[in-house]
Amino acid sequence: MRLILLGPPGAGKGTQATVLSETLKIPHISTGDIFRANIKGGTPLGLLAKSYIDSGKLVPDDVTIDIVANRLSDEDCASGFIMDGFPRTIPQAQMFDEMLGKLDRKVEAVINIIADDSIIIKRLSGRRMCSCGKTYHIANNPPKVEGKCDVCNSSLYIRDDDKEETIKERLKIYHEQTSPLVDYYQKKGLILNFDGTKPIEVTTREILDSLNNK
Ligand code: ADP
Ligand code: ADP
Ligand code: ZN
């Protein structure tokens, strides 16, 4: 399946993508994770992306499209993918459609996770990350041992952009540049809406059920 996860920062895209990727056996592609891995590795892409990410802005479209095109050419994407955090602008969505069109493929469903701004601020300020890609929340989804990843036992960290000021900027950018994508995909009949305030497992079940019924 070729899926996109849409929703504001903190809606639960990464959390759902991890489970969906395991269940549906398709790769989870997070542009945010790719940027963070590059920042950690000190690559030229990481250096460029860092200034945008730390200020809550979007990385330029041409840079982002290139990394997605590159990742899509990997063999594991033949079975499909779950895009998490991409596309985030109308030009990205248009270029993505073109890119898939050339491969005779298209997006099959867009999973839109809805959560309002007040809940997001609480979510992101309690978020804890692991470099293996797993995400936790100090109250809602804590690890078994405080500060350590359940999967790989690494120390958890707080993202530099999960500060209240940066969160507000990211939300503003979401409303201006990303939320128009709901309409874009609605017109193509691809949107499936989910209430992101329900417990994690409930939302996962609802997403899997609605994909089965498609
Ligand atoms: P996104 O990828 O959309 O930015 P995440 O999946 O990283 O969002 O989730 C943001 C934070 O909220 C994390 O700390 C995560 O553990 C927590 N979270 C995710 N889904 C839920 C949920 N349904 N209920 C409560 N907390 C959640
Ligand atoms: P969240 O789900 O919490 O918003 P992500 O991990 O998806 O965070 O993204 C973190 C940051 O990486 C974004 O705020 C943005 O700066 C950058 N980024 C990720 N995906 C994209 C994209 N598709 N286009 C532009 N910038 C992106
Ligand atoms: Zn881990």
Side-chain angles (χ1 to χ4, degrees):
M1 289 209 97
R2 284 176 287 274
L3 306 174
I4 290 175
L5 273 168
L6 199 61
K13 300 183 297 298
T15 302
Q16 295 300 333
T18 309
V19 189
L20 293 172
S21 161
E22 282 165 16
T23 312
L24 301 170
K25 306 207 175 354
I26 44 179
H28 168 198
I29 302 177
S30 158
T31 39
D33 285 348
I34 297 174
F35 291 136
R36 282 184 290 277
N38 276 275
I39 292 173
K40 200 170 169 210
T43 69
L45 170 65
L47 274 174
L48 183 144
K50 187 171 166 49
S51 56
Y52 294 100
I53 294 179
D54 286 353
S55 60
K57 303 270 191 292
L58 294 180
V59 177
D61 286 340
D62 53 343
V63 177
T64 307
I65 299 274
D66 271 0
I67 63 157
V68 171
N70 200 9
R71 179 65 184 85
L72 270 189
S73 67
D74 291 346
E75 218 172 282
D76 62 342
C77 293
S79 57
F81 50 73
I82 303 178
M83 285 291 164
D84 162 14
F86 177 89
R88 256 181 157 99
T89 64
I90 295 279
Q92 287 182 14
Q94 288 167 334
M95 284 191 259
F96 191 44
D97 282 343
E98 252 175 61
M99 196 190 296
L100 291 173
K102 283 186 190 144
L103 302 168
D104 222 9
R105 292 179 184 161
K106 57 181 188 227
V107 173
E108 288 160 272
V110 177
I111 297 163
N112 183 36
I113 307 184
I114 300 164
D116 67 29
D117 291 10
S118 61
I119 204 159
I120 280 162
I121 295 174
K122 284 193 206 118
R123 291 255 182 104
L124 293 183
S125 38
R127 174 156 70 180
R128 296 293 180 274
M129 305 286 290
C130 179
S131 53
C132 77
K134 187 110 174 83
T135 302
Y136 300 86
H137 189 279
I138 46 171
N140 304 341
N141 185 22
K144 293 195 181 88
V145 177
E146 197 185 322
K148 296 279 179 199
C149 177
D150 295 349
V151 180
C152 71
N153 204 39
S154 301
S155 295
L156 303 182
Y157 69 94
I158 302 177
R159 273 171 49 173
D160 286 341
D161 57 344
D162 279 348
K163 309 192 257 291
E164 188 151 344
E165 262 170 45
T166 321
I167 294 169
K168 287 193 173 137
E169 178 63 20
R170 283 157 65 205
L171 277 171
K172 184 170 151 260
I173 302 253
Y174 169 79
H175 291 297
E176 285 169 6
Q177 300 199 45
T178 308
S179 66
L181 291 179
V182 177
D183 208 39
Y184 178 89
Y185 288 116
Q186 186 86 59
K187 288 192 176 120
K188 295 177 184 283
L190 292 175
I191 289 276
L192 302 170
N193 286 313
F194 299 92
D195 176 357
T197 66
K198 292 187 182 173
I200 295 171
E201 305 71 27
V202 174
T203 303
T204 307
R205 183 54 20 235
E206 289 182 356
I207 294 173
L208 287 170
D209 284 349
S210 78
L211 291 175
N212 278 335
N213 293 331
K214 251 185 81 72

